[in-house]
Amino acid sequence: MARIALCQLNSGDDPEANLKLVRSGVEAAVADGARIVVFPEATMVRFGRPLDAVAEPLDGPWASAVAAVAAEHDVVVVAGMFTPADGRVRNTLLVTGGGHHRGYDKIHLYDAFGFAESDTVAPGTSLTTFEFEGVVYGVATCYDVRFPELFRALADDGADVVLLPASWGAGEGKREQWEVLVRARALDSGCWVLACGQADPAATGVTVNPKAPTGIGYSLASDGFGRVLASAGPGAETLVVDVDPAVAVAARTATGALANRRL
């Protein structure tokens, strides 16, 4: 059994202030027994401001500080940040702790609903999995959730759990899409999908750029049968979920969603 915390919060414009949120979130999660602590996409700095000025490599001060927090508490931390790219940045998930320090660069960019992430962000090209305490985890970011082949590929690479940080764009029907997509990707892959979003700024009283995807809350954890085991509201809160990897094996066996593929 793996205990995983999803820290739903609102990041702001200051990476140092957001680092304090990471520290306090990890401390609270560890006090509740969590071994992996997941933060949203864009934890380093929220969307709606220039990103190139704050982007840092994985060996830079922000990621190194998160690594120190993970090492101090002997946990894995997953958090969204931005790393430099030629003329743009990359939307990167930092995975640090437990012998790991690596990044996943978001593959599917949010060129949808009137937003063009690819104007400022370069896409990634490679999947990322990691092993911790005998369980294989995959990672994906926000808009990736609309692409079932990514989640099936992570399952093919051995993942039983996919961690999905997000900063979901608000709008009519977007909460419903978020919840359905997370559960559908769990069913598609037979994996647990643990989705951690930015909180809804309207619920927390935070002023943000209204044109940027700055979160709606409603983080959730779905098993491979599409059952929601835990869910959050719109505001800032932490979900702690006990995940049994054997449920992923049982789901794949029962549904045949991977074994019976023809395309």
Side-chain angles (χ1 to χ4, degrees), residues 15-243:
E16 285 299 315
N18 296 331
L19 184 59
K20 293 178 181 178
L21 295 177
V22 171
R23 287 195 183 102
S24 61
V26 169
E27 289 170 359
V30 168
D32 210 359
R35 299 294 296 134
I36 295 181
V37 189
V38 184
F39 293 89
E41 177 187 24
T43 292
M44 178 190 193
V45 64
R46 69 186 176 192
F47 287 113
R49 58 148 296 161
L51 301 174
D52 56 348
V54 296
E56 295 179 3
L58 291 176
D59 60 356
W62 198 87
S64 297
V66 176
V69 173
E72 177 185 352
H73 295 282
D74 188 29
V75 294
V76 171
V77 176
V78 179
M81 62 177 293
F82 299 98
T83 55
D86 292 339
R88 292 184 284 179
V89 301
R90 286 194 169 85
N91 186 340
T92 300
L93 290 182
L94 170 66
V95 178
T96 189
H100 303 287
H101 189 79
R102 67 184 68 174
Y104 162 70
D105 296 328
K106 185 179 181 183
I107 292 173
H108 301 97
L109 300 182
Y110 185 50
D111 290 356
F113 293 96
F115 193 83
E117 187 175 15
S118 63
D119 284 351
T120 56
V121 178
T125 57
S126 301
L127 303 181
T128 296
T129 61
F130 68 95
E131 186 173 353
F132 182 62
E133 297 183 340
V135 180
V136 178
Y137 297 84
V139 293
T141 306
C142 201
Y143 190 60
D144 280 334
V145 77
R146 293 188 180 273
F147 301 90
E149 60 273 17
L150 174 61
F151 289 74
R152 289 174 176 149
L154 289 169
D156 287 339
D157 282 354
D160 287 324
V161 183
V162 178
L163 308 174
L164 179 70
S167 185
W168 199 250
E172 184 178 357
K174 293 297 295 297
R175 175 186 170 186
E176 290 80 2
Q177 291 173 36
W178 166 246
E179 292 172 341
V180 167
L181 286 163
V182 171
R183 297 173 71 185
R185 296 299 80 84
L187 281 163
D188 292 335
S189 63
C191 291
W192 288 84
V193 178
L194 274 62
C196 181
Q198 291 269 350
D200 184 348
T204 57
V206 176
T207 301
V208 296
N209 182 341
K211 295 182 179 180
T214 47
I216 64 166
Y218 299 106
S219 298
L220 69 153
S222 174
D223 70 8
F225 291 101
R227 299 176 297 200
V228 174
L229 276 295
S231 59
E237 65 177 285
T238 296
L239 295 179
V240 178
V241 185
D242 289 320
V243 169

